[in-house]
Amino acid sequence: MGTNMKVLVLCALVAAAAAWPNYGFLNDPGRSEPSDAQKQHDVNYLLYKVYENIRDEKLKSIGVTFDPEADTSHYTDNGEAVHKLVKELKDNRLLQQKHWFSLFNTRQREEALLLYDVFEHSKDWKTFVSNAAYFRNRVNEGEFVYALYAAVVHSPLTKHVVLPPLYEVTPHLFTNSEVIQKAYHAKMTQTPGKFRSYFTGSKRNKEQRVAYFGEDVGLNTHHATWHLEFPFWREDKHEGYHLDRKGENFFWVHHQLTVRFDAERLSNYLDPVDELHWEETIEEGFAPHTTYKYGGEFPSRPDNIHFEDVDGIAHIRDLIILENRIRDAIAHGYVTAHDGSTVDINNSHGIDVLGDVIESSTYSPNVEYYGSLHNTAHIVLGRQGDPHGKYDLPPGVLEHFETSTRDPAFFRLHKYMDNIFREHKDSLTPYTKEELEFSGVAIDGVSIDGPLETFFEDFEYSLVNAVDDTPQVADVAISTVVSRLNHKDFSFKIDVTNNNDHEVLATVRIFAWPHNDNNDIPYSFNEGRWRAIELDRFWRKLSPGVNHIVRKSTESAVTVPDVPSFDSLIERTEAALSAGSSEVDIHEFVSAVGVPNRFLIPKGNSEGLEFELVVAVTDGKADAAVESLHENTVFNHYGYHGVYPDNRPHGYPLDRRVDDARIFHDLSNFHQHTVKIYNH
């Protein structure tokens, strides 16, 4: 944080101090909930310089004086969770501070979830934030960050709190170690610095052509945020609501990452990524060029290695057995539940069950039999640099949701998973023309207003939280600049005629897939639709007659804007507090689940890469799972707080195999034409 910024924050804190709730007196029965602005302030400073002492004096004082077990009436579980965590703490059983943390480490995850449970069982914000301040000083920093992020995402107390970008909270996970070293030098010499970051590897590595995608900090954040929103460890009995279609969402988010990655590869004259095979060579190595804050460097993986068993985790044959059991379930059309009953998956809901099985999450009907193919595979692939622990290396990038997309092997792993999902999807009966029609509705034309053109731009983010610190030494501005993909704004213009004599609700679904493969051979409709990138999904009321729909690229329901920087969040929050406002004008950033809007369309190339643009207008009344969808801006395409707004499967109407493309081409509510995406 720069000097001017620091002065602004200090002034704002003084101005807001009188109105700041006295969190020390938790037994006050008449206390009211703090404002959203105050909650945002608290979360900002709980995560700011998370490896150092709390910089907010009131929170710091609470962290020293608060007794989490003093009054258990402020917990919905009568203090059961906090008693359990405090006992672990007093017994010295918790991971020490200044140590790496991985969610894939079973014990470390259990410890983080102990703290998460304390947050989730807090009845009010004072209890929540007091526990956060107390345990921030006592538990491992990585466990604290994960527990707080997960709690803010899921707690009703924090509905309007915006989490700062992970790449500024824990910059080591996202920033090359040579840049971190320069940041330390800048701090020690008290010299402001802005340092250029480069992607890993060199031009000798063809995978570097698409490193801008997998190593993009926004994409890394998207992947981590999705897994926070839909965690595999979540149990309904503790949360009070069910995550609707969680398994299907798992399939869809990773399917979209895979097809988007393939589109970027085609944009750079590379073949689509090959799926990973347990009994074949991993051709592509990976050198992360990143270092843990504490615990050493992220392990590298050399080229052309064969999979080895990972001690204490899994044998390769175990993964093959799990895969065969899942494929066997697909072939039979059912999975076997824990109690021996069968669960039918030969239907639209089957993909949801299969997603729970493959990940696997606590929603899996039989984790003992089908195992945890996805999660175990992440660990096994991540440990191939030191499978037997010979060098006592810390976890690899694939053992962190924040960093896993940086390794090109992540996309090979998920192409492997994706092909299992496709095996199931292709086993379902194709849609008939009657099922796809929208009576009385016809698309008259689709055009694009503005260029489909991408470009690279510089993006700067702060490294202040990357360096060790002390309040006695002033901050200096330290940041890094990295190149990233963006696109020019454009709009879809869709003319739709409603021939009915009454208003109808319509769902507008927009997709695009590459016209040709890397050998310039056109994709068939059936192959293309599986490679379709979802560009948008929204609802409109159609009046009788001609309707002109304009949908801006910035409005896409599948993307999100960049989260404000840490400095910006603090500045906006303190300005709101000093002005006496109860809210901070940052509501558009509350959900960070979607793909960065910058990645809405693939890169394309200088000649113009051809894509098939597809628009389907379907029956909104039949599609809608909730009311007033055309007026509701809360839902993105993954739903909101456990409620999924669309009755149709993800990817509908392109989610099932198409044996005869003429069925689609004969639909009046379906449109397809070729467009070009340029990169300059």
Side-chain angles (χ1 to χ4, degrees):
M1 188 184 297
T3 304
N4 293 336
M5 183 68 215
K6 202 167 187 177
V7 171
L8 172 63
V9 170
L10 288 173
C11 291
L13 286 173
V14 172
W20 220 76
N22 186 352
Y23 292 149
F25 299 98
L26 288 175
N27 57 357
D28 174 13
R31 69 189 187 277
S32 59
E33 278 292 286
S35 67
D36 289 336
Q38 185 61 59
K39 292 179 181 181
Q40 185 68 54
H41 166 98
D42 295 348
V43 171
N44 289 345
Y45 278 94
L46 286 167
L47 292 168
Y48 183 65
K49 295 183 182 294
V50 73
Y51 289 95
E52 312 295 336
N53 291 327
I54 300 176
R55 294 306 173 89
D56 179 271
E57 289 303 320
K58 285 187 178 287
L59 286 172
K60 185 177 180 180
S61 175
I62 293 167
V64 174
T65 61
F66 177 66
D67 181 355
E69 295 183 290
D71 186 352
T72 57
S73 68
H74 297 297
Y75 301 100
T76 58
D77 65 344
N78 294 317
E80 181 181 340
V82 78
H83 287 324
K84 189 173 182 180
L85 178 57
V86 170
K87 186 178 189 308
E88 294 288 298
L89 179 64
K90 289 179 177 178
D91 289 347
N92 256 348
R93 286 174 49 81
L94 298 181
L95 180 68
Q96 69 266 33
Q97 293 190 321
K98 309 294 190 287
H99 189 285
W100 56 261
F101 161 74
S102 171
L103 191 68
F104 287 99
N105 181 296
T106 303
R107 174 58 189 173
Q108 292 179 7
R109 180 175 67 251
E110 290 172 350
E111 292 179 11
L113 295 184
L114 287 175
L115 180 55
Y116 170 81
D117 284 344
V118 173
F119 293 147
E120 284 299 282
H121 288 295
S122 296
K123 285 184 176 179
D124 51 58
W125 181 248
K126 292 180 182 180
T127 309
F128 185 112
V129 77
S130 298
N131 275 295
Y134 178 85
F135 287 108
R136 185 188 188 275
N137 297 332
R138 293 165 175 82
V139 304
N140 174 269
E141 299 87 351
E143 292 180 355
F144 174 81
V145 169
Y146 184 81
L148 184 60
Y149 264 75
V152 169
V153 166
H154 291 282
S155 173
L157 297 172
T158 49
K159 282 179 65 175
H160 304 297
V161 171
V162 173
L163 287 160
L166 277 167
Y167 47 82
E168 291 192 333
V169 175
T170 53
H172 282 75
L173 297 178
F174 303 89
T175 311
N176 290 356
S177 52
E178 51 267 34
V179 173
I180 297 292
Q181 291 172 355
K182 293 177 182 178
Y184 270 105
H185 184 267
K187 176 67 176 182
M188 288 187 292
T189 60
Q190 287 290 281
T191 306
K194 184 186 295 184
F195 310 109
R196 168 68 65 174
S197 283
Y198 297 96
F199 301 120
T200 57
S202 70
K203 291 183 178 179
R204 292 184 178 89
N205 180 4
K206 64 181 181 181
E207 295 299 324
Q208 286 306 292
R209 299 186 213 169
V210 288
Y212 65 85
F213 185 77
E215 296 184 31
D216 184 271
V217 294
L219 188 76
N220 301 156
T221 300
H222 157 64
H223 185 237
T225 303
W226 187 90
H227 281 282
L228 280 164
E229 191 84 36
F230 299 92
F232 63 86
W233 46 260
R234 185 185 184 281
E235 296 186 51
D236 288 352
K237 64 182 180 181
H238 293 155
E239 306 292 341
Y241 64 91
H242 182 75
L243 288 175
D244 194 23
R245 293 163 66 172
K246 179 184 175 300
E248 184 184 7
N249 281 336
F250 170 79
F251 150 68
W252 186 248
V253 71
H254 293 95
H255 173 70
Q256 283 296 292
L257 283 176
T258 303
V259 298
R260 285 178 177 276
F261 185 62
D262 278 348
E264 299 299 340
R265 295 178 70 84
L266 288 173
S267 298
N268 291 278
Y269 308 100
L270 295 171
D271 287 327
V273 68
D274 289 328
E275 72 171 288
L276 175 147
H277 296 278
W278 297 118
E279 296 170 310
E280 295 182 9
T281 300
I282 313 172
E283 295 180 2
E284 306 87 3
F286 181 64
H289 286 254
T290 47
T291 306
Y292 284 95
K293 173 79 171 177
Y294 300 101
E297 297 182 353
F298 277 86
S300 297
R301 183 185 65 251
D303 287 342
N304 299 312
I305 66 169
H306 292 276
F307 274 108
E308 293 191 39
D309 299 338
V310 176
D311 293 357
I313 302 298
H315 296 282
I316 298 303
R317 69 169 181 270
D318 295 336
L319 294 171
I320 296 172
I321 290 171
L322 294 179
E323 175 192 340
N324 289 337
R325 288 175 178 175
I326 293 168
R327 292 187 186 276
D328 187 58
I330 293 170
H332 284 87
Y334 64 85
V335 300
T336 303
H338 177 73
D339 62 2
S341 62
T342 59
V343 180
D344 184 15
I345 61 172
N346 195 26
N347 50 49
S348 295
H349 179 64
I351 190 70
D352 189 41
V353 177
L354 202 58
D356 290 333
V357 165
I358 290 176
E359 188 179 14
S360 81
S361 72
T362 56
Y363 288 9
S364 172
N366 195 346
V367 69
E368 294 84 3
Y369 182 69
Y370 295 107
S372 182
L373 182 59
H374 167 265
N375 293 349
T376 305
H378 262 268
I379 301 172
V380 168
L381 183 54
R383 297 277 181 91
Q384 288 306 302
D386 186 23
H388 308 298
K390 181 178 179 181
Y391 305 105
D392 195 25
L393 296 179
V397 296
L398 283 156
E399 294 175 77
H400 299 272
F401 289 130
E402 304 97 314
T403 59
S404 55
T405 65
R406 297 171 68 87
D407 187 343
F410 167 87
F411 295 99
R412 290 197 62 192
L413 174 63
H414 278 282
K415 179 63 75 73
Y416 158 73
M417 304 282 177
D418 205 48
N419 286 342
I420 297 175
F421 282 119
R422 183 174 185 178
E423 193 171 315
H424 161 71
K425 279 287 191 177
D426 283 355
S427 72
L428 302 179
T429 304
Y431 295 116
T432 64
K433 182 180 179 182
E434 290 71 28
E435 290 175 308
L436 298 171
E437 287 177 327
F438 186 5
S439 179
V441 173
I443 300 176
D444 301 319
V446 175
S447 61
I448 296 176
D449 185 10
L452 291 179
E453 185 175 322
T454 66
F455 58 91
F456 284 92
E457 64 181 10
D458 281 347
F459 174 66
E460 181 179 356
Y461 64 92
S462 173
L463 297 179
V464 167
N465 287 340
V467 297
D468 291 324
D469 203 0
T470 173
Q472 288 71 42
V473 178
D475 285 331
V476 294
I478 309 172
S479 62
T480 185
V481 177
V482 64
S483 182
R484 68 179 191 176
L485 185 68
N486 204 339
H487 64 82
K488 293 185 178 180
D489 290 341
F490 61 91
S491 298
F492 295 106
K493 300 177 74 173
I494 307 167
D495 291 336
V496 183
T497 296
N498 174 14
N499 293 309
N500 298 290
D501 59 3
H502 56 275
E503 187 178 66
V504 296
L505 178 64
T507 312
V508 183
R509 307 169 187 273
I510 307 177
F511 303 90
W513 68 71
H515 180 76
N516 296 328
D517 65 15
N518 199 37
N519 293 315
D520 214 28
I521 299 173
Y523 282 117
S524 67
F525 189 96
N526 187 51
E527 286 301 312
R529 60 95 201 167
W530 183 253
R531 291 166 172 78
I533 296 168
E534 185 176 26
L535 300 179
D536 206 349
R537 189 190 321 178
F538 60 96
W539 290 266
R540 282 288 187 275
K541 284 284 186 72
L542 300 180
S543 302
V546 178
N547 295 261
H548 303 286
I549 300 173
V550 177
R551 180 73 167 182
K552 296 178 181 178
S553 58
T554 54
E555 297 173 324
S556 172
V558 308
T559 66
V560 294
D562 288 331
V563 177
S565 68
F566 219 147
D567 276 1
S568 176
L569 273 180
I570 292 175
E571 183 176 357
R572 294 189 196 191
T573 304
E574 304 312 323
L577 285 172
S578 62
S581 174
S582 62
E583 296 185 354
V584 188
D585 187 19
I586 50 177
H587 302 297
E588 64 188 290
F589 307 109
V590 168
S591 174
V593 177
V595 174
N597 186 265
R598 302 176 288 103
F599 282 151
L600 178 60
I601 58 175
K603 170 178 166 280
N605 56 36
S606 57
E607 293 82 23
L609 188 63
E610 290 187 330
F611 282 80
E612 292 302 301
L613 179 67
V614 165
V615 178
V617 178
T618 60
D619 187 346
K621 184 178 180 180
D623 299 344
V626 295
E627 295 181 358
S628 303
L629 277 170
H630 63 292
E631 300 171 349
N632 201 319
T633 59
V634 171
F635 294 103
N636 63 24
H637 70 313
Y638 294 116
Y640 181 73
H641 280 242
V643 179
Y644 188 73
D646 190 357
N647 277 323
R648 303 295 188 183
H650 277 306
Y652 178 84
L654 304 175
D655 60 302
R656 296 192 183 186
R657 76 174 192 271
V658 178
D659 295 334
D660 188 347
R662 290 175 297 180
I663 291 177
F664 279 85
H665 295 149
D666 289 342
L667 295 171
S668 63
N669 58 319
F670 182 85
H671 174 92
Q672 177 183 351
H673 75 268
T674 305
V675 298
K676 288 186 177 182
I677 301 177
Y678 295 87
N679 173 256
H680 295 301

